[in-house]
Amino acid sequence: MSFAAGAAYDGAMRAAIGQGQRALESGDVPVGAVLVDSAGLVVATGFNARERDGDSTAHAEIVAIRAASSALGNWRLDGLTLVVTLEPCTMCAGAAVLARVDRIVFGAAEPKTGAVGSVWDVVRDPRNNHRPEVLGPWDLAPDVSAECADLVRDFFADRRGASDG
């Protein structure tokens, strides 16, 4: 995939960044996600709500997938693209595969738990009956991918700084 193709998702990624900022309000890791249709229209949004909801599965991607399924009345989300600020974990990558999303676009790699190429590659495993296309930070405008990375890095830097005192 080329930078030009990835740039088509810069607006959706900015919407996902806005969702990630909402997670900060409840003290959660600032990850945001949106699902867009082939015309780029937002079908559903989500942000990390684990702290707010007391739910370990309330990752941004899961929240958005549930909202899209509810809005469309179907668990099959083919034709949709999942745009998320941080590389999905194994749970979220697996959910995207099972929901049949066409594509996953992520803004920042997650070198500790990333399951879309960094640590594991759940979505492109040839044993899956569905394998979404993947676009990563290398496909996005540098300022957009940097903003995604900064969002998470700043959150954890603030947390470490708060514990130093």
Side-chain angles (χ1 to χ4, degrees), residues 2 14-15 28 49 51 57 72 75 81 83-84 88 108 111-112 116 119 124 132 137 140 148 153 157 160:
S2 69
R14 291 206 183 280
D28 218 320
E51 298 298 330
T57 68
L72 299 173
W75 64 267
T81 296
V83 179
V84 59
K112 293 182 180 178
V116 186
V119 179
R124 290 177 284 204
L140 302 170
C148 292
R153 185 178 53 250
R160 284 189 297 277

Side-chain angles (χ1 to χ4, degrees), residues 9-146:
Y9 295 100
D10 287 351
M13 188 60 76
R14 291 206 183 280
I17 290 168
Q19 288 296 307
Q21 290 168 337
R22 292 186 63 195
L24 287 171
E25 297 169 14
S26 62
D28 218 320
V29 179
V31 178
V34 298
L35 278 150
V36 296
D37 65 15
S38 60
L41 298 173
V42 174
V43 173
T45 63
F47 57 89
N48 272 2
R50 295 174 308 163
E51 298 298 330
R52 184 192 72 187
D53 296 352
D55 178 357
S56 61
T57 68
H59 290 204
E61 301 93 325
I62 300 298
V63 172
I65 287 169
R66 288 176 179 157
S69 294
S70 180
L72 299 173
N74 196 341
W75 64 267
R76 288 181 184 88
L77 302 180
D78 31 18
L80 299 186
T81 296
L82 174 63
V83 179
V84 59
T85 57
L86 187 65
E87 181 180 359
C89 68
T90 54
M91 174 181 70
C92 295
V97 168
L98 293 173
R100 311 285 198 277
V101 298
D102 281 0
R103 169 177 317 97
I104 298 171
V105 180
F106 67 94
E110 176 33 290
K112 293 182 180 178
T113 62
V116 186
S118 289
V119 179
W120 300 282
D121 201 348
V122 171
V123 300
R124 290 177 284 204
D125 188 308
R127 294 168 290 191
N128 289 334
N129 64 343
H130 176 74
R131 290 182 295 283
E133 176 186 10
V134 174
L135 293 113
W138 51 87
D139 294 306
L140 302 170
D143 62 318
V144 174
S145 58

Side-chain angles (χ1 to χ4, degrees), residues 137-163:
W138 51 87
D139 294 306
L140 302 170
D143 62 318
V144 174
S145 58
E147 194 171 346
C148 292
D150 291 347
L151 193 60
V152 174
R153 185 178 53 250
D154 292 350
F155 172 80
F156 285 110
D158 289 347
R159 294 289 263 241
R160 284 189 297 277
S163 66

